[in-house]
Amino acid sequence: MRVLVRRCWGPRLALGARPRRPSPQWRALVGLGGEDGRDARVREKPPWRVLFFGTDQFAREALRFLHAARENKEEELIDRLEVVTMPSPSPKGLPVKQYAVQSQLPVHEWPDVGSGEYDVGVVASFGQLLSEALILKFPYGILNVHPSCLPRWRGPAPIIHTVLHGDPVAGVTIMQIRPKRFDVGPILKQETVPVPPKSTAKELEAVLSRLGADMLISVLKNLPESLNNGRQQPTEGATYAPKISAGTGCIKWEEQTAEQILRLHRAIGNIIPLQTLWMANTIKLLDLVEVNSSILADPELTAQALIPGSVIYHRRLQILLVCCKDGWIGVRSVMLRKTLTAADFYNGYLHPWYQKNAPAPPSQCRFQTLRLPTKKKQKKIVAMQQCVD
């Protein structure tokens, strides 16, 4: 029994001995597998039988690397590869399903997880807690490709929160899933990368998806050893990255700085356009830009006392300048009933003749904070790695 404890990711076989299924006591001891009625054999080395769980573009990259490894007959890393994804209203499905169908991989829609025998499960941006009973069906458990330096940014939207909070460093963690809680299992492999200045969540996702997929293949090549060498996550430094709701995109002009608003745009702008109010109408800000110091020295900006939300059209640059808590941001286009350039918005809504004849009082001729109703529960947007193309 002591030998089994030391080699807790697979029993040593004596030369010529016939492999047999580990006992229920051993599987319970190491936290793997369970008696599910199948006559599965525990493999000590590749090729592995893999069941992949994923949905979005980030997960698609991990699946692409797994499929390439399966097609590489010389290396013999993946023997069988099947896919579990979430149902989608689109006939084509989510990016993971699109890729699986194109690659002729077997696809199951959650909660269907197939009935085959697998050695290990792999999760990337799936968004569902997996039951203990399901985890125990895999002799080597289920691995998670998580795009953060755990324990920082546990939860479904780590890339968004990395950008939103201006983290200088991002990363990917390959960890083993534990039931009942997200992203708390032991770390098998972790790597970091610097976050490029002014990077959007979509741009950062592309970098991290490739890094994570490559790390996953590295772990699978030495799976028993990687599991044996796993380390528990630190108890300090844990933060949570919750899903993004529509209210996240509502700009608070009096409270948010220019840098915070621009980071918000880079973090969620491709999913949820930032929103504000213009004369009691909701308006979406589609294309935000940083305002440099030379523009801020313009006499038109310095000559008058402006309050947060004030809007000025900069004719030479053809952008809207909007005053926020500590400075200005630039807006190139908006959506108010239809998409308008900054010049269109000025001619139709900012021009003095319009403001003079507008039904709203002059005090409302500025952007104001949009406060969504709180009586009805806002529908959350599943922003796992965000960029569903």
Side-chain angles (χ1 to χ4, degrees), residues 13-137:
L13 298 179
L15 184 62
R18 181 181 178 183
R20 58 179 182 169
R21 193 177 189 188
S23 66
Q25 293 87 350
W26 178 84
R27 296 167 75 86
L29 174 68
V30 300
L32 295 175
E35 293 300 309
D36 55 13
R38 297 193 304 237
D39 187 25
R41 303 292 184 185
V42 176
R43 299 183 178 184
E44 288 196 315
K45 61 181 182 179
W48 308 118
R49 298 163 295 184
V50 178
L51 184 61
F52 180 82
F53 300 77
T55 55
D56 62 14
Q57 200 69 23
F58 179 87
R60 181 188 182 278
E61 190 70 0
L63 179 60
R64 188 175 72 85
F65 272 55
L66 289 173
H67 180 56
R70 179 178 177 272
E71 294 293 293
N72 185 352
K73 302 304 181 183
E74 294 182 2
E75 195 167 17
E76 294 188 338
L77 181 63
I78 307 294
D79 180 26
R80 188 169 80 241
L81 178 61
E82 297 187 14
V83 175
V84 177
T85 190
M86 298 299 295
S88 169
S90 169
K92 293 183 179 179
L94 300 169
V96 160
K97 182 176 181 180
Q98 294 175 23
Y99 181 84
V101 170
Q102 292 168 2
S103 303
Q104 298 182 328
L105 295 172
V107 179
H108 311 280
E109 286 198 349
W110 181 264
D112 175 21
V113 295
S115 57
E117 294 175 354
Y118 313 100
D119 301 301
V120 63
V122 174
V123 167
S125 296
F126 190 58
Q128 292 288 330
L129 279 173
L130 304 184
S131 68
E132 185 174 6
L134 176 59
I135 296 171
L136 293 178
K137 288 184 178 182

Side-chain angles (χ1 to χ4, degrees), residues 145-173:
V145 185
H146 186 80
S148 84
C149 298
L150 291 171
R152 186 161 178 79
W153 301 134
R154 293 171 175 168
I159 298 178
I160 283 179
H161 286 273
T162 297
V163 174
L164 186 59
H165 290 80
D167 288 6
V169 174
V172 176
T173 304

Side-chain angles (χ1 to χ4, degrees), residues 157-195:
I159 298 178
I160 283 179
H161 286 273
T162 297
V163 174
L164 186 59
H165 290 80
D167 288 6
V169 174
V172 176
T173 304
I174 309 294
M175 55 161 287
Q176 192 180 37
I177 281 184
R178 291 291 184 258
K180 298 181 181 180
R181 289 183 62 195
F182 277 114
D183 309 326
V184 297
I187 295 171
L188 310 184
K189 190 176 182 67
Q190 188 174 82
E191 294 187 15
T192 62
V193 293
V195 178

